[in-house]
Amino acid sequence: WINGPGFANWLSTHWLPNLLFFATFIIFGLSFLGLFEITLPSSWVNNIDRQADRGKYLGVFFMAFTLVLVSFSCTGPIVGSILVESAGGEVIKPIIGMVSFSAAFAIPFTMFAIFPQWLNNLPKSGGWLNSVKVILGFLELALALKFLSMADQIYHWGLLDRDVFLVLWIVLFAFIGLYLLGKIRLKHDAEVKQLNITRLLLSILTFSFVVYMIPGLWGAPLKFMAGFLPPMSGHDFDMNAMLRAQQQANGEDALCETPLYTDFLHFPHGIKGYFDYEQAMECAKEQNKPVFIDFTGHGCVNCREMEASIWSHPEVLNKLSNDFVMLALYIDERKELPQSDWYESQYDGKVKKTIGQQNTDRQISQFNNNAQPYYVILSPEGELLTKPFSYTRDPAKFLQFLDDGLGNFNQ
């Protein structure tokens, strides 16, 4: 099971690991802000330090190991955050992060060995180092909200809607900007008597990001952050709500019957469609339209980016709204179905009880794929009309995919 295709999805979408990751980031963030210090027992450090007296390469290894242990209070939250992302299914970012972390220790010693005179120019530790820790602390708190948001979306708790998420991020990044300007001081901080260029530039970037987020409180799409934000369906201050309601009313004609699960599942941009495979296929036969299947997930970052950047393109949105019977299959939806709808999978022999389990089983069994987003165009008889499509940043490529499916269907 651990090596199976469903484990990574369980780890990144189940409430337990997400809440553990949320708590871990909160603890690391508060540590960086100075509420407490995470340190290793001194006996560990002393025992390792004694091993550094050994000769040759073994002694060098233990010297480096001692350095890492001594710096644990500063580096532990950084490494811990990287490992949390790795456990959550990320691959590239943790690799880059750990390589950067190791290089940060290795490169200075290599360069000082080659150019020993540089040692005289080393900056003194002091206020600047504490400032870095405080800024990282605020960032850790901001990132913690992403894990809470993911669990909240999947289990429909309603704790962290889009507007609440944005308010918290706006406040946290505003605090970073004020801290850089010296308007906020914590207990370990020295007074900022003069504002250097680095602080000024960083504060400009931070406040620019804050200003960018503010329109999102009134329904702006914020495409740059689409992968991190909760969906628009949970937004309270949507100035475009009337327009969206009109779009949805106009789209009712595209439906053959009331879709199942619309009380907790939604399409973006006012698109109308189904969340049940059999319902969508029956409607496709009735209307003689191809079916567009969107294998998606509440916790799928790339799915939200596709919806915000590609689906919102006028030509794409027009085709999706009018030329297809839309079907969204959420692979991480935890709602349990009635026992009469349970079945034993031919793929792994396990009983599939929830919407997400059945959708995942369908994607693996029928299309031999378990990645999201994953887009499939079928005829009303269930025949594949074109090669399935995944993630892209180019609307033209996605339009070509739609046109290929429509063209083959019309032929």
Side-chain angles (χ1 to χ4, degrees):
W1 178 73
I2 292 179
N3 293 321
F7 177 70
N9 174 258
W10 177 89
L11 191 63
S12 60
T13 60
H14 196 272
W15 67 268
L16 180 59
N18 274 288
L19 291 188
L20 287 175
F21 297 161
F22 167 72
T24 301
F25 272 71
I26 291 293
I27 292 171
F28 288 160
L30 294 177
S31 171
F32 270 150
L33 291 175
L35 182 62
F36 50 83
E37 188 170 336
I38 302 175
T39 58
L40 293 176
S42 58
S43 59
W44 292 15
V45 180
N46 293 334
N47 289 335
I48 295 297
D49 187 41
R50 283 194 291 269
Q51 303 298 320
D53 294 333
R54 298 187 177 187
K56 296 185 178 180
Y57 297 109
L58 193 60
V60 174
F61 169 79
F62 280 109
M63 287 178 64
F65 197 14
T66 302
L67 174 65
V68 172
L69 293 179
V70 170
S71 62
F72 181 81
S73 62
C74 294
T75 61
I78 299 175
V79 177
S81 303
I82 294 172
L83 295 179
V84 162
E85 291 202 5
S86 177
E90 291 282 355
V91 177
I92 302 300
K93 286 195 291 185
I95 291 175
I96 295 175
M98 292 304 292
V99 168
S100 302
F101 174 76
S102 59
F105 278 98
I107 291 176
F109 286 94
T110 302
M111 298 307 295
F112 290 143
I114 300 173
F115 307 103
Q117 66 273 17
W118 288 4
L119 289 168
N120 298 325
N121 300 322
L122 278 176
K124 303 293 184 182
S125 62
W128 70 271
L129 187 58
N130 189 70
S131 297
V132 171
K133 290 179 62 177
V134 170
I135 293 172
L136 288 174
F138 281 122
L139 293 176
E140 294 266 359
L141 295 180
L143 290 173
L145 296 175
K146 173 58 182 172
F147 293 100
L148 178 60
S149 172
M150 188 174 297
D152 182 59
Q153 292 175 54
I154 294 169
Y155 290 91
H156 311 293
W157 295 334
L159 299 175
L160 199 61
D161 289 339
R162 184 185 179 94
D163 42 5
V164 177
F165 187 98
L166 276 172
V167 166
L168 292 172
W169 266 47
I170 288 170
V171 170
L172 286 170
F173 280 91
F175 271 35
I176 293 176
L178 292 172
Y179 179 80
L180 287 167
L181 294 176
K183 302 301 182 181
I184 297 176
R185 288 173 57 192
L186 300 183
K187 62 180 181 180
H188 298 301
D189 290 324
E191 183 180 358
V192 179
K193 297 181 179 179
Q194 290 183 327
L195 193 64
N196 59 40
I197 297 299
T198 301
R199 279 179 172 266
L200 179 62
L201 293 176
L202 289 175
S203 65
I204 290 173
L205 290 174
T206 304
F207 281 119
S208 298
F209 183 51
V210 170
V211 172
Y212 171 79
M213 288 190 288
I214 290 175
L217 294 175
W218 288 273
L222 304 182
K223 294 182 180 180
F224 176 73
M225 301 175 60
F228 290 91
L229 293 175
M232 191 71 74
S233 57
H235 200 81
D236 290 335
F237 308 140
D238 191 355
M239 293 183 66
N240 298 318
M242 293 183 63
L243 176 61
R244 296 182 197 280
Q246 182 62 42
Q247 289 176 333
Q248 292 177 357
N250 294 337
E252 294 293 344
D253 295 337
L255 299 176
C256 303
E257 60 179 322
T258 302
L260 298 172
Y261 317 127
T262 53
D263 53 330
F264 56 90
L265 297 178
H266 310 276
F267 276 97
H269 312 302
I271 295 173
K272 303 302 293 184
Y274 294 94
F275 306 98
D276 177 79
Y277 183 85
E278 282 71 23
Q279 258 197 324
M281 298 306 293
E282 286 298 321
C283 187
K285 292 176 183 177
E286 181 178 330
Q287 297 187 354
N288 192 31
K289 285 184 178 180
V291 181
F292 178 93
I293 305 180
D294 171 22
F295 286 100
T296 184
H298 298 291
C300 176
V301 172
N302 287 338
C303 301
R304 302 292 84 77
E305 290 184 2
M306 283 287 293
E307 292 166 0
S309 303
I310 305 299
W311 287 31
S312 62
H313 188 278
E315 290 186 64
V316 172
L317 186 57
N318 180 62
K319 289 181 182 295
L320 294 178
S321 301
N322 299 303
D323 297 338
F324 297 91
V325 172
M326 297 293 293
L327 170 62
L329 298 180
Y330 281 80
I331 53 86
D332 55 4
E333 175 55 51
R334 303 285 175 170
K335 182 176 178 59
E336 188 169 297
L337 294 166
Q339 189 170 356
S340 58
D341 293 333
W342 296 0
Y343 68 87
E344 184 176 310
S345 169
Q346 295 182 357
Y347 171 75
D348 59 11
K350 297 180 179 179
V351 176
K352 304 302 179 182
K353 302 179 180 180
T354 68
I355 293 176
Q357 288 174 348
Q358 294 191 4
N359 290 338
T360 301
D361 184 63
R362 179 177 297 279
Q363 184 180 1
I364 294 173
S365 302
Q366 191 168 344
F367 303 105
N368 195 31
N369 187 281
N370 193 35
Q372 293 81 40
Y374 193 70
Y375 306 114
V376 179
I377 299 177
L378 298 181
S379 70
E381 293 74 30
E383 298 174 352
L384 195 64
L385 292 175
T386 187
K387 182 180 179 182
F389 196 86
S390 56
Y391 177 79
T392 183
R393 294 178 179 271
D394 186 357
K397 292 182 179 180
F398 194 74
L399 275 170
Q400 185 62 54
F401 163 69
L402 298 179
D403 290 336
D404 288 346
L406 285 171
N408 292 333
F409 172 75
N410 291 328
Q411 289 177 5

